[in-house]
Amino acid sequence: MTHEIAVIPGDGIGQEVIPAAVEVLEALDIDFEFVEADAGDAVLEETGEALPQETYDLAASADATLFGAAGDSAADVILPLREAVGSFVNIRPAKAYPGIDAVRPETDLVFLRENTEGVYAGLEDRLTQDVSTLTRVVTESASETLAEFACDYVSDADDHDGFTIVHKANVMRETDGLFRDTVKSVADDRGVDTDEVLMDAFATRVCLEPEQFDVVACPNLAGDVLSDLAAGLVGGLGLLPSANVGPERALFEPVHGTAPDIAGEGIANPAATIISAAMLLEYLGYEDESERVNEAVEVTLEEGPRTADLGGDASTEDVPEAIIERL
């Protein structure tokens, strides 16, 4: 069976790390058809659209999408792309790898971030020169969908006992209160254990004792910010992959962004993108191949070659070559 994979490098180092991930996927004995499309600042300047309709349509029809990063036009690219795949959850693992100089080498957790609403619903207004407003949207239906996914996620794995609900319901009583109550109710009905932590307390506790946490379910903005915080515990954003999962398709992307300060220099770390590609493999049912890629990445991170952000002097191209040799 042929799987169509939409490949959208985007801007900055996306142009370097996405080809590295595709190179690794091409080294596997899987029938993939890679179809490349444009999005981001460069195509906006050229065409007037940050996300051309044909790119949106490709993501909406492909079996999976591999996306790099977008610059100033990011909100006009990634939010519609997540909509194109019907994404309701953003999965962000934060794991410390052997051999990497991590602040907290015991860190190994996964964020399940609600991906459709909250303050990212786009309901902003400029009422006067002095006053701007932002409407935060939280629905019972979206919270239920995330909760069901979280329950399935921990139930399908042998190493997860339950999950933590992170929220700020003590202040945002109606919105985060609805989120917390809905997620907890679904988990209780499913017989899945949960605990809960206020998001500001979580920010402190995850830095001091990250081993307290395993799987974390949280609203949109909290998941965005707290997963980036966790990146600092494991060695940086260059090590964080992500998956945007919908009912029938999904989009995979590194968390790190365009990194304009090093774009074009050939030194960007492609690890997060390649781990995102491993998540793509697992999503499409290639669990063995996904595990092989993850293992090869871990050995490469531990033994080298490493890019400059991890204390080495390897080029971007050196990393996939080493990973492929170890597959």
Side-chain angles (χ1 to χ4, degrees), residues 98-99 297-306 326:
V297 170
E298 289 197 24
V299 174
T300 302
L301 288 172
E302 183 173 12
E303 300 181 0
R306 298 177 186 165
R326 288 166 168 142

Side-chain angles (χ1 to χ4, degrees), residues 21-301:
V22 170
E23 187 179 347
V24 172
L25 291 175
E26 287 178 331
L28 301 168
D29 187 22
I30 301 175
D31 191 5
F32 283 144
E33 179 186 356
F34 297 99
V35 183
E36 187 164 329
D38 296 322
D41 295 353
V43 70
L44 173 63
E45 184 175 347
E46 181 180 344
T47 69
E49 292 181 299
L51 183 67
Q53 187 64 45
E54 55 266 30
T55 302
Y56 180 96
D57 292 342
L58 175 64
S61 62
D63 294 302
T65 297
L66 194 58
F67 172 66
D72 293 338
S73 60
D76 297 320
V77 175
I78 189 56
L79 297 182
L81 282 176
R82 290 171 179 166
E83 176 188 90
V85 302
S87 174
F88 55 82
V89 61
N90 181 223
I91 307 171
R92 289 191 175 188
K95 176 181 178 180
Y97 292 95
I100 300 301
D101 186 17
V103 175
R104 292 294 183 187
E106 64 272 35
T107 305
D108 187 0
L109 65 156
V110 178
F111 291 89
L112 303 180
R113 166 192 172 193
E114 200 288 318
N115 213 24
T116 66
E117 50 187 30
V119 296
Y120 290 0
L123 302 177
E124 290 188 272
D125 285 301
R126 184 67 177 265
L127 302 183
T128 69
Q129 184 174 354
D130 185 51
V131 179
S132 295
T133 63
L134 171 64
T135 300
R136 186 169 191 260
V137 177
V138 174
T139 64
E140 185 175 18
S141 56
S143 301
E144 282 180 348
T145 301
L146 176 69
E148 292 286 357
F149 183 90
C151 290
D152 290 339
Y153 188 91
V154 299
S155 299
D156 291 344
D158 296 332
D159 54 347
H160 301 308
D161 295 328
F163 63 91
T164 300
I165 307 168
V166 172
H167 61 83
K168 191 64 177 170
N170 61 326
V171 174
M172 295 179 283
R173 297 173 182 173
E174 293 299 326
T175 51
D176 264 25
L178 176 61
F179 175 84
R180 177 201 59 197
D181 294 346
T182 302
V183 174
K184 188 171 186 340
S185 175
V186 170
D188 288 346
D189 289 344
R190 292 279 302 270
V192 174
D193 292 334
T194 62
D195 60 347
E196 57 181 277
V197 181
L198 294 175
M199 66 176 69
D200 46 351
F202 177 89
T204 299
R205 289 174 57 185
V206 76
C207 292
L208 297 174
E209 297 181 282
E211 70 275 11
Q212 294 181 57
F213 303 106
D214 179 20
V215 176
V216 178
C218 48
N220 205 335
L221 177 61
D224 194 1
V225 174
L226 294 174
S227 61
D228 278 14
L229 183 152
L233 304 180
V234 302
L237 287 173
L239 296 173
L240 256 65
S242 75
N244 300 278
V245 176
E248 297 181 2
R249 46 190 47 86
L251 179 147
F252 302 84
E253 57 171 326
V255 176
H256 53 57
T258 60
D261 56 323
I262 60 169
E265 296 184 14
I267 61 172
N269 183 359
T273 313
I274 296 171
I275 301 169
S276 297
M279 295 176 75
L280 181 152
L281 289 167
E282 183 178 11
Y283 172 78
L284 291 176
Y286 298 100
E287 288 89 356
D288 291 343
E289 290 84 352
S290 175
E291 185 175 350
R292 286 175 56 207
V293 171
N294 278 321
E295 289 176 352
V297 170
E298 289 197 24
V299 174
T300 302
L301 288 172

